[in-house]
Amino acid sequence: MAKSENLNVSSASHHGGDDGHHDLEGMRVMGFWIFLITDFIMFGTLFATFIVLNDSTAGGPTGAELFEMPGIIAETFILLTSSFTSGLAVLAMNRGNRKALIGWLAVTVLLGLSFISLELTEFFTLVHEGANISTSAFWTAFYTLVGTHGLHVSIGLVWITAIMIQLARHGINPVTKRKVNIVSLYWHFLDVVWIFVLTIVYLMEVM
Amino acid sequence: MWDNIKEFASEFFVTGDPLIYGADVSIALTLIAVVTALTYFKKWTWLWKDWLTTVDHKKIGIMYVIASLLMLFRGGVDALLMRTQLAVPDAEFLSPEHYNQIFTTHGVIMILFMAMPLMFGLFNLVIPLQIGARDVAFPFLNSLSFWLFFFGAMLFNVSFVIGGSPDAGWLSYPPLSGKDFSPGVGQDFYIWGIQISGIGSLMTGINFIVTILKMRAPGMKLMKMPMFTWSVLSSCLTIILAFPILTITLALLFIDRYLGGHFFTLDSGGNPMMYINLIWMWGHPEVYIVILPAFGIFSEIVATFSKKRLFGYKSMVFALMAISITSFFTWAHHFFTMGTGANVNAFFAVTTMIIAIPTGVKVFNWLFTMYRGRLSFPTPMLWMLGFIPCFVVGGMTGVMLSVAPADFQFHNSYFLIAHFHQVLIGGVAFGYFAGLYYWWPKVFGFKLDEKLGKWAFWFWNIGFYVCFMPQYVLGLMGMTRRVSTYGWDKGWYDLNLVSTIGGFLMGIGFIFQVWQILHSIKFMKKAPADPWDGRTLEWSIPSPAPVYNFATIPRAEGKDWYWEEKQRIAQGLPPSPRPKLEPIHMPKNSGIPFIMSAFWFVAGFGLVFDWLWMAIPGFIGIVVCMLAHSFNYKTDYYIPVDEIKRTEAAAAGRGV
Ligand code: HEM
Ligand SMILES: [Cu+2]
């Protein structure tokens, strides 16, 4: 449908610097990197509060008592794999293979969904065992930090899905290309944050 | 049923205070007047097409300025109410509860809804023009930032008549701001009003960093950028590092209040001190975020009106960067007295004093720029001159406060109030006024009346000293901040009365400014492109700037390229060659930022009142708006060469 307008957008962005136009796609990627820095500071703040409140269980259950590591390891494995499949999607895009691109994105979304459902199951079990967000400062910090990561993953899922639809409609062009690159950057970022969650929240707690 | 409604209404609408009934009536009348006027003059489409949906950075800048001046009015009325209460001992003008609400809303509004948007307004009005760009990096995001600020500020402001204002101070320390001590909705208005506008501020920070790094005219190397642009860059870098901390801090406070969390509660392991650390890790840099651009403005003004190149360019850049970095290592000086320990206090005392060094460098550079310059004193320059003594005194009292042992004496006294108003009014407010006066002709295409402007200047300046100098003394005499009344026996009577008179003198200054603007609109004197004989790129294009700013992008080599170009032409050399006209690529207007921000308002209002039936549709609306934007590929258009030629000819014909 809107093919010609796409071309319009993309040719405009490669007009050269002199119409005062600059490299639109490049600017967007740079803007996204800066956004990631701000997001990183947000997570950093959450990690800092978690570390401060690490021992503030106020006589309630501790993490070491309730965490079930096999589930967490499975979550980790799934998220790492999804990061890998999103990388494969970008490779397919660079080869110009739209079908493979959409396919790998779909796999990524499915993996992300199973990550989220495992996480929700974990939360429900914990609540069932008597640790909810208002049990103690420790649990407040736990749910906030891990939940914020989960919220980010969920936003990513909606976002990737929206891009898949756009790819189906418009094909691979500079605009959709940039969108795929950015979303996969975001997805890798969530992976890195999760490694920190795994280490600081779970491993350091149970060891 | 009827009783239920009555009970609900008496909680929902704030009742029982004549001041608030007055506000209700005036809000209702203003709304009716605006709606009637828009309908009568058939201006609704104009409003929507030309303003609410605009992505033009100049118009967005104008809207920021208007909104922030309205907030200056509201915050100023708050200030005068407080000063009226304090003018005489044992006064019963404001109840203690009402006084608490007023100092809270005054502080929040002045810093977050007056200073920040006025600053963003100046960024928008000036930066693209000064670096030779046609727009900011992300015009759509820019409009979204504005509307988020606007709706966030409105959400905060309605607390006055709906539900009740926050009253735990402008930084809302828990446990006072927690559910146990502040069960009402005021704190929730605080959280969501600031949160929503804060997201906008964060995006503005990102937007202008990319704009400055990526969109400068060819030839303008980083070390050749105008000083205002440098100050905006350093301010924006500070924003992107500091505002995420605020976002999280408010979110945590919200989780405590709404979901029964225990981050900052007194029981179940919570730690209120953690809030105080977090809020000042944002709060102190925030103070520098608003002052750095003022430094940039003064640098521009002092060079223009001394007809000299700015003295010590490199050291100025270095000082800006040094200040923005150091500002992150001083936060604990706000709670020396809270038992952090002597070593920690010593560290933060030293880092605080270090900031005085780059600041001093800047002041000396401005003085050296004026030295042997060909000086002239129109209003922008007057504000610059008024600023210097004010800031020097404010800086010195700041260093006094940074001495940790001394702070045990000054802490939370009127000495502190006098100090920070001296830097906030003398530095930030005077700085932005100077900037507004300086760039006004460029933005609006007409000059402001100088005579009324001088009246405003003198009322503000004299009023300032009359208001705040007595407060230093009051602080030393033991008067603490946030007291709503005091007895005759304290002996604070005369100084407080003098201080109140000073406050009203500043109020008169503000009235003069409003009068000045109205008067200058009525007797409009068209402004030339270059009314001050300026040095930077923005003066090389017509006033007001056309939509596309620059018909052709200049090659801006040299620090004061436009000034040098004028010298070259005066010597009879031909002007630098410009590329030939080409169609100009422009972003299309969009209604999404406005609608999305309105949904944020709905969601925020719902959360304030714990109404999920309202909050959830609000959040759904936000997501739908984002998707609508993502799916929209028709976001730009071209201005054909013919039209550019016509616009330029018309501007030239206006007698530039
Ligand atoms: C126009 C003249 C102004 C007057 C007469 C004035 C007066 C006052 C007064 C009486 C207080 C309350 C002191 C107390 O009882 O603790 C106050 C607090 C405050 N003012 Fe102003 N003010 C003015 C302008 C400003 C400006 C321009 C700013 C910021 C840009 C500002 C920021 C603050 C802050 C942050 C507080 C602290 C609020 C709190 O304690 O939570 N003020 N001001
Ligand atoms: Cu500070």
Side-chain angles (χ1 to χ4, degrees):
Chain A
M1 164 206 138
K3 269 265 164 58
S4 57
E5 277 118 19
N6 292 338
L7 292 179
N8 191 358
V9 173
S10 51
S11 68
S13 51
H14 294 281
H15 219 79
D18 263 14
D19 63 343
H21 199 277
H22 313 268
D23 165 23
L24 244 185
E25 305 306 323
M27 286 195 317
R28 293 199 166 135
V29 174
M30 179 182 201
F32 194 74
W33 272 104
I34 301 179
F35 162 76
L36 282 187
I37 294 175
T38 64
D39 213 18
F40 200 77
I41 297 171
M42 291 199 210
F43 275 111
T45 314
L46 287 176
F47 277 113
T49 52
F50 180 83
I51 292 168
V52 169
L53 299 175
N54 206 3
D55 299 323
S56 306
T57 46
T62 64
E65 287 162 27
L66 300 189
F67 290 152
E68 285 175 27
M69 287 318 284
I72 312 295
I73 300 297
E75 278 177 37
T76 309
F77 185 69
I78 291 171
L79 198 66
L80 290 184
T81 315
S82 79
S83 209
F84 181 64
T85 55
S86 81
L88 290 178
V90 173
L91 285 181
M93 176 175 77
N94 291 341
R95 282 198 318 272
N97 187 341
R98 165 150 69 150
K99 275 221 181 85
L101 164 58
I102 298 182
W104 283 121
L105 287 182
V107 176
T108 311
V109 168
L110 286 179
L111 289 170
L113 279 175
S114 34
F115 173 86
I116 291 290
S117 48
L118 276 179
E119 186 158 85
L120 286 178
T121 322
E122 188 208 353
F123 282 7
F124 279 125
T125 324
L126 287 173
V127 171
H128 199 72
E129 288 168 354
N132 62 43
I133 196 162
S134 58
T135 303
S136 68
F138 169 80
W139 289 105
T140 313
F142 168 82
Y143 282 107
T144 307
L145 173 56
V146 182
T148 306
H149 178 269
L151 183 68
H152 273 70
V153 173
S154 315
I155 293 173
L157 293 175
V158 177
W159 187 4
I160 299 181
T161 314
I163 292 177
M164 281 160 58
I165 299 172
Q166 292 174 37
L167 282 167
R169 276 201 198 166
H170 306 301
I172 300 175
N173 62 42
V175 177
T176 50
K177 230 180 177 158
R178 181 243 312 160
K179 290 190 177 189
V180 173
N181 277 327
I182 285 182
V183 87
S184 86
L185 193 62
Y186 178 77
W187 202 254
H188 293 317
F189 167 78
L190 292 184
D191 219 45
V192 174
V193 173
W194 178 257
I195 300 295
F196 280 101
V197 173
L198 177 74
T199 321
I200 292 174
V201 177
Y202 293 105
L203 294 180
M204 280 170 50
E205 187 70 22
V206 295
M207 294 231 251
Chain B
M1 175 69 190
W2 179 237
D3 282 339
N4 280 343
I5 293 179
K6 241 165 79 182
E7 197 190 308
F8 167 75
S10 72
E11 267 174 36
F12 189 71
F13 298 107
V14 182
T15 48
D17 189 312
L19 283 172
I20 291 177
Y21 291 130
D24 285 336
V25 172
S26 54
I27 291 173
L29 287 180
T30 319
L31 275 180
I32 294 171
V34 170
V35 171
T36 323
L38 284 171
T39 314
Y40 182 79
F41 294 107
K42 300 204 174 57
K43 287 288 188 189
W44 285 103
T45 24
W46 166 81
L47 184 68
W48 178 255
K49 284 212 165 135
D50 280 11
W51 294 94
L52 303 190
T53 61
T54 186
V55 291
D56 180 346
H57 66 93
K58 299 176 286 296
K59 287 188 171 168
I60 292 176
I62 292 173
M63 292 193 289
Y64 267 120
V65 170
I66 294 173
S68 77
L69 291 181
L70 287 174
M71 289 292 105
L72 176 62
F73 177 71
R74 150 104 210 244
V77 171
D78 280 349
L80 294 184
L81 289 175
M82 286 189 288
R83 276 311 333 161
T84 307
Q85 163 72 17
L86 294 173
V88 282
D90 297 327
E92 280 172 22
F93 176 58
L94 300 174
S95 68
E97 298 78 48
H98 200 175
Y99 191 88
N100 290 349
Q101 295 178 355
I102 293 188
F103 72 64
T104 304
T105 52
H106 164 78
V108 172
I109 285 180
M110 283 300 196
I111 294 196
L112 288 155
F113 302 135
M114 189 285 281
M116 289 292 277
L118 197 49
M119 170 178 99
F120 290 148
L122 288 166
F123 287 12
N124 268 291
L125 294 176
V126 179
I127 288 299
L129 304 185
Q130 203 167 50
I131 62 174
R134 291 210 167 111
D135 209 326
V136 296
F138 312 114
F140 175 89
L141 203 64
N142 198 20
S143 154
L144 184 58
S145 299
F146 170 76
W147 289 111
L148 285 175
F149 144 69
F150 182 82
F151 280 104
M154 289 306 117
L155 186 61
F156 184 84
N157 271 279
V158 294
S159 71
F160 183 47
V161 289
I162 293 179
S165 304
D167 57 5
W170 82 282
L171 289 180
S172 263
Y173 284 2
L176 190 56
S177 57
K179 202 76 181 171
D180 293 343
F181 296 93
S182 293
V185 293
Q187 281 317 309
D188 302 298
F189 272 120
Y190 172 95
I191 290 173
W192 286 101
I194 297 181
Q195 190 71 293
I196 292 171
S197 69
I199 300 170
S201 307
L202 195 52
M203 296 192 312
T204 307
I206 298 177
N207 210 337
F208 278 85
I209 292 180
V210 180
T211 307
I212 293 175
L213 291 182
K214 287 274 196 177
M215 294 181 73
R216 275 166 291 131
M220 188 186 278
K221 302 256 161 50
L222 274 182
M223 283 313 275
K224 299 212 163 131
M225 290 196 310
M227 199 44 77
F228 180 62
T229 306
W230 262 114
S231 72
V232 172
L233 183 61
S234 58
S235 168
C236 287
L237 288 170
T238 317
I239 289 179
I240 62 156
L241 300 179
F243 267 75
I245 308 179
L246 175 70
T247 308
I248 293 300
T249 311
L250 291 174
L252 303 188
L253 187 60
F254 175 71
I255 287 171
D256 271 11
R257 291 181 57 85
Y258 196 78
L259 301 173
H262 291 291
F263 284 111
F264 314 123
T265 54
L266 290 174
D267 58 338
S268 302
N271 185 350
M273 203 58 214
M274 193 167 68
Y275 181 91
I276 298 177
N277 273 289
L278 287 174
I279 199 80
W280 279 115
M281 280 189 210
W282 160 76
H284 190 83
E286 163 67 15
V287 183
Y288 285 89
I289 288 168
V290 289
I291 197 75
L292 291 171
F295 290 168
I297 293 169
F298 291 132
S299 299
E300 299 292 332
I301 288 178
V302 80
T304 301
F305 297 110
S306 306
K307 294 236 185 305
K308 262 177 72 189
R309 164 174 290 207
L310 186 68
F311 184 89
Y313 179 90
K314 273 196 189 131
S315 63
M316 290 295 230
V317 172
F318 179 78
L320 285 174
M321 288 301 151
I323 294 173
S324 48
I325 293 165
T326 335
S327 70
F328 280 94
F329 298 95
T330 61
W331 77 86
H333 65 207
H334 294 276
F335 41 89
F336 280 148
T337 57
M338 292 197 197
T340 352
N343 286 333
V344 176
N345 280 356
F347 173 80
F348 284 97
V350 172
T351 50
T352 305
M353 292 175 206
I354 287 178
I355 290 204
I357 300 169
T359 316
V361 168
K362 300 196 78 76
V363 173
F364 280 114
N365 281 342
W366 291 319
L367 294 176
F368 282 127
T369 309
M370 282 191 271
Y371 178 68
R372 294 198 153 167
R374 268 187 288 142
L375 298 178
S376 56
F377 302 99
T379 32
M381 185 66 170
L382 282 186
W383 288 98
M384 149 89 206
L385 291 176
F387 150 84
I388 289 187
C390 211
F391 203 75
V392 169
V393 176
M396 278 181 336
T397 55
V399 174
M400 287 167 75
L401 285 164
S402 76
V403 181
D407 191 54
F408 279 80
Q409 183 62 39
F410 303 140
H411 182 72
N412 274 354
S413 76
Y414 258 81
F415 191 90
L416 169 83
I417 300 281
H419 153 69
F420 78 69
H421 279 96
Q422 184 136 29
V423 280
L424 282 172
I425 298 181
V428 177
F430 286 9
Y432 296 172
F433 288 165
L436 267 188
Y437 282 107
Y438 183 59
W439 282 297
W440 186 280
K442 177 56 52 192
V443 175
F444 294 101
F446 64 91
K447 279 192 164 175
L448 282 176
D449 187 80
E450 283 280 315
K451 204 165 142 211
L452 288 169
K454 286 184 178 152
W455 279 100
F457 169 79
W458 286 112
F459 268 104
W460 268 102
N461 264 268
I462 295 172
F464 175 81
Y465 288 97
V466 176
C467 182
F468 291 104
M469 291 304 121
Q471 294 185 8
Y472 282 116
V473 185
L474 283 168
L476 296 176
M477 287 165 73
M479 180 163 167
T480 48
R481 73 193 286 202
R482 298 183 180 171
V483 290
S484 68
T485 186
Y486 52 90
W488 287 98
D489 54 331
K490 302 270 194 207
W492 301 338
Y493 160 67
D494 34 3
L495 287 172
N496 267 305
L497 183 65
V498 172
S499 175
T500 301
I501 294 174
F504 278 91
L505 291 179
M506 283 186 272
I508 298 176
F510 182 74
I511 293 175
F512 266 105
Q513 289 176 304
V514 176
W515 181 12
Q516 180 191 16
I517 294 175
L518 297 178
H519 179 91
S520 314
I521 293 176
K522 195 160 166 219
F523 303 97
M524 186 152 338
K525 279 187 242 128
K526 293 255 188 281
D530 184 15
W532 312 116
D533 199 6
R535 311 175 72 82
T536 36
L537 278 181
E538 70 269 31
W539 306 111
S540 69
I541 52 173
S543 308
V547 247
Y548 47 75
N549 299 349
F550 294 85
T552 58
I553 300 293
R555 282 194 66 82
E557 279 124 1
K559 264 175 220 146
D560 294 322
W561 180 83
Y562 182 54
W563 175 261
E564 286 152 19
E565 175 87 352
K566 283 191 289 190
Q567 304 305 101
R568 277 194 292 273
I569 293 172
Q571 286 164 18
L573 296 170
S576 309
R578 291 281 188 112
K580 73 175 196 346
L581 289 181
E582 274 185 68
I584 295 175
H585 181 235
M586 297 295 290
K588 268 191 195 156
N589 283 1
S590 169
I592 295 178
F594 179 85
I595 298 169
M596 186 157 133
S597 309
F599 276 121
W600 269 105
F601 182 94
V602 172
F605 196 84
L607 286 176
V608 167
F609 282 93
D610 211 340
W611 292 340
L612 285 182
W613 57 263
M614 186 166 175
I616 291 173
F619 280 112
I620 293 176
I622 296 166
V623 175
V624 170
C625 284
M626 288 202 208
L627 289 175
H629 178 59
S630 173
F631 279 84
N632 180 13
Y633 279 64
K634 301 184 206 166
T635 52
D636 22 27
Y637 71 102
Y638 278 87
I639 302 181
V641 172
D642 288 347
E643 197 180 320
I644 305 172
K645 278 189 183 144
R646 254 180 284 131
T647 316
E648 291 290 305
R654 267 181 4 102
V656 182

